[in-house]
Amino acid sequence: MAGHNPFDMIRRRTGRNRRRGGDDQELFASALVAYARNLLLAGNLLARLERNSGRSPEEYPLLAQALKGGRERTAPRDAKEFRERLKAFRRRREGAEIPPPAEPAAANLALLADTVGLTDPERAVLQFVAAQRLSPDLEDVTDAYPALSRLGCIELVSVATGLTRAEVAESLSPAGRLLTSGIVRIDDEFGHLEHKLVVDARVLELVVTPALDRDRLLATFLPLAPPPTLAPDDFAHLGAEVEVARRLLKAALAQRRPGVNLLFHGPTGTGKTELARLLARAVGAQVHVAGLQDGAGQSPSSQERLASLLLGNRVLAATDAVLLFDELEDLLEPASFFSTERTMRASKQWMTRLLEQNPVPCIWATNDASFDPAFRRRFTYAIEFRPLGALQRERVWRRHLGAGALPEPEVSRLAARFAVSPAEIGSAVAAARLVAEGGAPERAMIEAVLSPMVGLLGGRGGEEWAFDPAAYRVEAACSSVDLAALADRLAGWRAGGGPGLSLCLYGPSGTGKSEYVHHLAHRMGQRVVARRVSDIESKWLGESEQNLAQAFREAAASDAVLLFDEADSFLRDRRGAVRHWETTLVNEFLQQLERHPGFVACTTNLYRDLDEAALRRFAFKVEFGWLTPDKALLLFRTRLAPLLARPLAPEDQVRVAYELRHFPNLAPGDFAAVARRVRVLGGSYEPEALLAELAAEVAAKRASPRAIGF
C-alpha cells in the first residue's frame, strides 16, 4: 500500500496556513512525521534499525512520534509496545490526514521549484531531501539504509514520499530538472542517503531564509558582477577580437542561440573579467557570476560552482543575461587520487554536451588553456589576453591617475619601468592616493609601492636604466661597421607586411651593445621590451618556451623593439645540447623569430656558442670591440670630465690620452661604472684620481677568481 504523499498535503494547505499564520515549527515537524510513518509502513525499517544501530525503535523520537495519534497520546515505552502500536497503526493505515510542513520552508521550496520549473514529483523529492538534511531525527531513521545503490535510493525516496518508483526515477534522471539545474546530484558510490543523494548546501540555507524572494535566490547562486572599472580603450591592444566577441554575444542574445561560449585565456590580472563586464554592458546584458561563493560565503567547491552554472542555464534562459565562469581549469582538471571530492569534476561527454547546448551565452575565463583539445574545439570564440605593452600601460596609467595628476614624462617613465597589469596599476595608484595629502599621488610613492609588488605579483620591471639620448655617443662605440650610418638607415624602418628586422650584437661585456639597441629604438620612435635570462628560463617543463613566446607577443602588441640580453644562454648550439629543453627552446625562438613582424635584437658575449641556424636568421650581425685610444679619450671627456673639481686643461688632456693608451680592454661600460661610483661617493676629483678608478675597474674585470678561505 502506498503511503501518504506529504507534498500533496503541503500544496493543498500551504496557502491557508500562510494566511492564518500557523506554527512553523509544528508544521515542519508534522512533515517529518509523515515521512517516518511512510517508512514504517514499508515493513523492514525496524529490522534494519536494530541491525545497523543496535538501538530499540522507541529510542528514535521521530518514530515514536509517528505512532502517536488517535486514542494513543503517549510515546511507546519499549520495543514490544512499539511493535504492538505499529501493528495497530497498519490496521488503521487510512488514519487522519498528515498536517503540512512549516512555513517558510514550504514557501521557499515552492519559490525555488517555480524558479527552476520543477514538476510536482521533482518538488516532492526536493522537499524530502531537504527535510532529511535539516532534521537529525529523520537522518537517524534513513541511516538504517547504510549502503544505498541508485535503485535503493529511488526505492527509499519512493517509500518516504509516497511517489511511485517511476516518478522518483524520472525526477532523478540525468535529464531531469533537479540534476540539470545542479540543485541535486547523485553520487556513484554506495552510501547513506545524505552521501548518495547530495543537495547543494545553499539550497538548505535558502529553505530557512525568512522573506526569501527571487532576487535573493539569484544572488545566492548567481550574483551580479560589479560594473567594469576599465574602458574599451584599455583593450585596444586586442584589436578586432573584442569587436568579434561583442557581435557574437549580441547575436546570441537576440536569436536565443544555444551553445555560444567565449573563452578568455591569459595570465592573471590581464583584464579577462573586466572585458566580460564591458562586453555585457555593450550588448545591454547583465553578467551573472557562476560559483562565486558557497552557502557560508566561503570559496565554493567545484561541484557547487557547477551547480551555479547549471542553475543559471535553467533560470536565465529567457532573459538578456550572460554567465561568467572564472577559473575554468577548476572544472576541467580531474580530481587527484587524494582528492576529498568523490567524483570527477566534469566528464568529457557531459562537458562537451554542455558547451553545445547551454541556452545562456557564457564567458569562460582561465589562466591556462592547455586543457583537453576536445573541450577547446567546442568554444565558439577565444581571445588570448597578453600582458600590456608600454603604450597600453601608459593609457591605463593616465586613466587611473586622471588628467594632470603627473607630468607626461613621469607617466611615460612609469609605463616603461613597470611591466604590470591594469589591476596592479590600479592598486598602486589607490595606495599612493591613500597616503598622499589631498589625495594627489606622487610618482615616488607609486614607485615605492609598486617596486616590491612587482616580484610578488609576478610582474616584470621595465628598463633598468633610463636611456639618455643626449648623453649617448654612438661615435664612441667600437664596431666592425659604421654604427652611426647603420642607425641612420634603420631609423626609418617600420614593421609592415614583410619579414621583421633582426639584429645580433656580439662582443665583450660593457662594449655598448644594449645601449646601441636603445639608441636605435629612440631613433625609430619605439620603446624597448627587454628580457634577460632570468625572465625566460624556468625550472618548470615548457614554461621557458611560454615565457619566450610571451615576450614576442608583448613586443608585437606594443610595436616595440624586443631586446634579449645574454642570448647565448638560451640560443646554445643544439649539437652540444644535453637536455631536451635546450633544443626545444632554440626551436621555439626560431619559430617566433620567423613569424615576428617587428624588430628583434639579441646581445651576446659568446658569439661562437650560438646555434648556427639561429645565427643565419639574423639580418645583421654586428661585432663590438674594445675602445681605441681616441674613442676612450672621447668618453673620458664626455662621461668623466664633468665630474672633475676643475675643467680639463689642455695639458691634462695630453696626460689622460697618454695614460689611456696603456689601458687594455677598455670598454664604455667601464666609464659608466666609474661615473656611477663617483656620483655616489661625491667629493672633488682630479684627473689622476679618475684614471686610477678606471685602472681599478679594468683590473677587476681582468682579475681571475681565487679561492676564499683562511
Side-chain angles (χ1 to χ4, degrees), residues 433-507:
R433 289 189 192 280
L434 182 65
V435 299
E437 294 185 6
E442 298 178 354
R443 181 177 64 83
M445 179 54 67
I446 292 175
E447 291 180 336
V449 169
L450 196 54
S451 293
M453 297 299 293
V454 166
L456 178 65
L457 297 174
R460 305 181 191 272
E463 301 175 11
E464 292 186 354
W465 71 92
F467 176 72
D468 185 358
Y472 180 72
R473 292 290 182 268
V474 65
E475 66 274 14
C478 280
S479 174
S480 57
V481 302
D482 187 339
L483 296 178
L486 180 62
D488 291 338
R489 297 289 298 274
L490 296 181
W493 184 87
R494 292 292 180 270
L501 176 63
S502 55
L503 185 66
C504 179
L505 310 178
Y506 62 96

Side-chain angles (χ1 to χ4, degrees), residues 247-302:
R247 294 179 63 183
L248 283 171
L249 281 181
K250 184 176 181 180
L253 292 169
Q255 302 173 28
R256 303 297 177 198
R257 181 69 60 86
V260 174
N261 297 277
L262 307 184
L263 177 64
F264 291 177
H265 62 102
T268 301
T270 47
K272 298 184 290 293
T273 58
E274 281 283 342
L275 181 58
R277 302 200 291 260
L278 277 172
L279 287 174
R281 172 186 286 181
V283 299
Q286 290 184 319
V287 179
H288 291 267
V289 184
L292 190 61
Q293 61 185 21
D294 63 9
Q298 305 298 319
S299 297
S301 67
S302 59

Side-chain angles (χ1 to χ4, degrees), residues 311-325:
L311 185 64
N313 277 308
R314 173 66 62 182
V315 304
L316 301 174
T319 66
D320 287 332
V322 174
L323 286 172
L324 172 60
F325 194 97

Side-chain angles (χ1 to χ4, degrees), residues 343-414:
T343 60
M344 298 286 280
R345 287 173 168 82
S347 71
K348 181 180 293 187
Q349 182 180 10
W350 183 92
M351 187 64 189
T352 53
R353 186 169 60 247
L354 172 66
L355 291 173
E356 292 170 351
Q357 300 176 2
N358 57 303
V360 180
C362 187
I363 298 176
W364 308 77
T366 180
N367 301 331
D368 183 7
S370 60
F371 44 81
D372 195 320
F375 295 144
R376 294 202 299 263
R377 288 195 297 269
R378 263 66 182 190
F379 288 99
T380 311
Y381 190 62
I383 297 180
E384 180 182 8
F385 283 68
R386 301 173 290 272
L388 299 180
L391 295 178
Q392 286 78 37
R393 292 196 298 270
E394 196 167 321
R395 283 198 293 267
V396 178
W397 277 110
R398 290 195 183 99
R399 182 173 300 281
H400 280 283
L401 289 166
L406 289 179
E408 288 299 313
E410 294 191 6
V411 177
S412 299
R413 181 179 176 85
L414 288 171

Side-chain angles (χ1 to χ4, degrees), residues 150-165:
R150 184 184 182 91
L151 292 177
C153 177
I154 291 173
E155 174 69 19
L156 175 60
V157 176
S158 172
V159 169
T161 60
L163 298 170
T164 66
R165 294 184 184 86

